Amino acid sequence: MIEYRNLRIALLGAGSVGSQVARLLLENRDELAARVGAGLDLIGVAVRDIDAPRDTAIPRELLTTDASTLIQSADIVIELMGGIEPARQYIQLAIASGADVVTGNKALLATHGPELFDAADRVGAQLYYEAAAGGAIPIIRPLRDSLAGDRVDRVMGIVNGTTNFILDRMDVEGDTFENALAVATELGYAEADPTADVEGFDAAQKAAILASLAFHTAVPVESVHREGMTTVTAAQIDSAQKAGYVVKLLAICERLVDPETGIEGVVARVHPALISRMHPLAAVHGAKNAVFVQAEAAGDLMFYGAGAGGVETASAVLGDLVSAARRHVAGGPGTGESTHANLPILGIGAVITRYQLTLIVTDKPGVLAQIAGLFSEHGVSVEAVQQTVATASAAGSASESDALTATLVIVTHEATEAALAATVAAVSANDAVVRVESVLRVEGETP
Ligand code: HSE
């Protein structure tokens, strides 16, 4: 048997994931060589500061601040620096010098993916990115390879561990958002500035990556409809629980036909939503992630696990490295990025889903009928109404303060976002409505 020469591996970045990749690559050298059919030589690790403290020690002679020279000597470059620049130019340099690339850089792929895939395609290089969405969870390869013969209709994921931790604590412990965020920060899940997580930016980047793969269409992150979860209250969680739902921050990517225009396209969105406590995603607790995929032939599939963490994410990176290395040994063109479908990207207005509205209304005869009439006028069908105990009004005027108010929780049948928005506007303008407390989308089946 012909022995393949050892492959030269360059690592860019030695943070929590990078340092674990270096450790596992060095510790499991023989086993990885057996799986690949060639040795994997870690020839260098490019870092900004050679003396910076690291999660796990890397032999000093491997560390360098000269990323460009390292890249140009490598067969496979692993980019784990994060951020847009200089990661983008280093990946371009790697592709131009004939290397394959493994990256976990979701921000870069969600904003510059097409440019990098084109550059790789032009020279027959491969770009692997299992670690860019869902950490350790294998979801990129299932969408790209395992489901390549099927038609994916919908991907619905909990793809941000920090926000799932917070919402789960609010649900299980009855905690407020502020307390749950403080615990997430103390435990190291949330960053000092949690904006990227709680406002849904991180999940939107992952949604763009998953939608692009699922629908063979380049979906830029700017086209992902994004709402954060900072406005979710303990009262909403409580009312969701009573109705058999749980609130999750969901990334939903779906193929649908715009009811206005009849055009088939793709919508990607990130927002808090109610899902039935019987749905598999409701069982995703703590900081875990999961992605629920609905495909025409395969039916429902779910992928679950650690969405972050140094050693966990290193598993995804090493899986990609082994794939890239095997291709060097076996030869062949590899898999190009597939965007042939090039479906139109539709706005949030095309989405059809169910909604839960919580209204504070004055408790007097005829109010329920009036409100039901407004739903009916806008073509939104009511599935369930729950009225809870009337309390003394907190509203401002003297006459209102004498009146009693009631809380109405209305769950609708499926409606378009446009019809729902018109209904909410009409309901808000009605004299009997003290305020619209909240509007949440409801995804999946009724409990
Ligand atoms: N901050 C992310 C999370 C992990 O909380 O899931 C990295 O994408």
Side-chain angles (χ1 to χ4, degrees), residues 412-436:
T412 73
H413 284 293
E414 283 192 334
T416 62
E417 288 265 342
L420 196 274
T423 311
V424 172
V427 165
S428 308
N430 188 284
D431 287 345
V433 176
V434 178
R435 63 181 181 275
V436 177

Side-chain angles (χ1 to χ4, degrees), residues 204-384:
Q205 289 170 348
K206 294 166 182 166
I209 292 171
L210 297 178
S212 301
L213 277 169
F215 306 121
H216 305 276
T217 292
V219 178
V221 69
E222 306 80 57
S223 69
V224 179
H225 174 87
R226 178 192 55 76
E227 295 169 31
M229 47 70 72
T230 53
T231 53
V232 175
T233 61
Q236 284 174 332
I237 302 256
D238 188 49
S239 125
Q241 270 182 6
K242 289 191 175 114
Y245 292 101
V246 59
V247 181
K248 295 286 187 191
L249 183 75
L250 297 180
I252 302 172
C253 314
E254 58 197 339
R255 181 200 291 268
L256 47 79
V257 175
D258 187 328
E260 287 281 302
T261 61
I263 294 172
E264 184 183 8
V266 169
V267 181
R269 51 192 167 111
V270 168
H271 52 73
L274 303 185
I275 47 168
S276 162
R277 297 185 93 82
M278 304 300 285
H279 193 284
L281 285 174
V284 179
H285 295 290
K288 286 287 195 290
N289 283 198
V291 183
F292 186 76
V293 178
Q294 292 171 288
E296 190 177 74
D300 295 350
L301 304 163
M302 188 153 108
F303 303 83
Y304 167 91
V311 72
E312 294 88 344
T313 308
S315 162
V317 172
L318 287 167
D320 278 350
L321 175 63
V322 168
S323 293
R326 280 181 178 153
R327 190 179 80 88
H328 275 263
V329 174
T335 338
E337 202 59 15
S338 162
T339 53
H340 69 276
N342 198 19
L343 291 168
I345 296 170
L346 306 176
I348 187 77
V351 167
I352 298 178
T353 189
R354 293 156 60 232
Y355 301 85
Q356 187 203 59
L357 286 83
T358 304
L359 311 178
I360 311 297
V361 299
T362 51
D363 193 6
K364 58 184 186 196
V367 168
L368 191 54
Q370 270 181 47
I371 293 182
L374 294 174
F375 277 73
S376 148
E377 267 170 42
H378 292 89
V380 177
S381 174
V382 171
E383 179 187 292

Side-chain angles (χ1 to χ4, degrees), residues 9-29 32 40-47 54-60 62-63 70 78 80 310-311 313-315 317-318 321:
I9 315 300
L11 175 60
L12 313 181
S16 61
V17 182
S19 57
Q20 292 293 345
V21 167
R23 176 180 71 79
L24 291 168
L25 201 42
L26 296 170
E27 281 179 14
N28 301 334
R29 219 188 121 76
L32 291 170
L40 301 177
D41 290 344
L42 180 61
I43 58 168
V45 182
V47 292
R54 311 227 135 72
D55 289 0
T56 170
I58 295 175
R60 200 178 169 82
L62 287 179
L63 296 173
L70 176 64
I78 305 174
L80 296 170
V311 72
T313 308
S315 162
V317 172
L318 287 167
L321 175 63

